[in-house]
Amino acid sequence: MRLYRHTADLPAEERGAVVALGNFDGVHRGHQTVIGTAQRLAAELGAPSAVVTFEPHPRSVFRPDDPPFRLTPFRVKTRHIEALGVDQLIVCHFDDGFRHKTAQAFVDEILVGGLGVRHVVCGYDFLFGHKRSGDPAFLLQAGRAQGFGVTEVGPVSDEQGGIYSSTRVRDALTAGRPREAAHVLGHPWEIEGRVVHGDQRGRTIGFPTANIELGEYLRPAFGVYAVRAGIDRAGETVWLPGVANLGARPTVDGTVARLEAHLFDVDLDLYDLHLRVQMIDFLRPEMKFPSFDALKDQIVQDAAAARAVLAAG
């Protein structure tokens, strides 16, 4: 997949793609349908397939004081999109100037002038342009006037009729239901980050942890999770089972939320490496224990519970 951070960087031979438009936070099953539709049309037309997305997420520009909400920061979103087999990823820098661009200017400057799009695919709820004045109907009218096709993808639902959406994923995670989130995403939700030094209390009781700051990630339900951690080895991701605490660590008077993952049956130096931690199941909420010894006893039980959950699949 070729990544372009500005339409001016796009070579002439890369113009004329079938593009999927959207924020694609989470790259859930609904997003995958939109992108897959663009790929299918691209194959039929003999054109490149592309995703056009926006960074930072527009919500962080419109509502900068909101709590962290991202399901997939840019690095992670890029990896998921690349795994789908897309030819191009075009990233529009979303800032205060971009937010004031009219819907017509977006079509003229980005889609037509910058990309020379052959066809555009978007979800039924895609809105764009100043004051969110652009929608699929606007795109369809613009396409007729300017010579590109438009396909609107309707809601995509599961067998029970639940619509796949980023909001549904966020609601599931904040309620401590990572398996439901994985169902909507089509893959386990994960937190990725560089392993940083902690206070090393876990090492003193036989449970060393890899500590990851949460950054712009959504804060899911605080508590203990059964996890799988992905480590890069020679270009391949090796997944290891483990147990993790996500929260502020009230027993040791912690104040900043972070992820602390203990990997079973290995002793690895992970400091400064990037680690992917998949949240498989929620075991219990975060709680404050009367003593560090009581916490240690609970960690032993948590580890046993996580092993059982992961062994059961």
Side-chain angles (χ1 to χ4, degrees), residues 16-67:
V18 177
V19 304
L21 289 176
N23 291 313
F24 300 117
D25 188 26
V27 196
H28 57 65
R29 293 180 191 269
H31 295 151
Q32 293 166 35
T33 300
V34 172
I35 295 170
T37 300
Q39 290 175 292
R40 176 179 56 79
L41 290 169
E44 292 174 359
L45 296 171
S49 62
V51 167
V52 173
T53 192
F54 309 91
E55 288 290 335
H57 193 293
R59 176 172 161 181
S60 66
V61 176
F62 288 114
R63 293 153 54 182
D65 296 327
D66 274 9

Side-chain angles (χ1 to χ4, degrees), residues 232-255:
D232 183 77
R233 287 182 178 168
E236 297 290 332
T237 302
V238 177
W239 294 98
L240 302 172
V243 64
N245 183 79
L246 194 154
R249 302 161 296 123
T251 303
V252 295
D253 298 324
T255 57

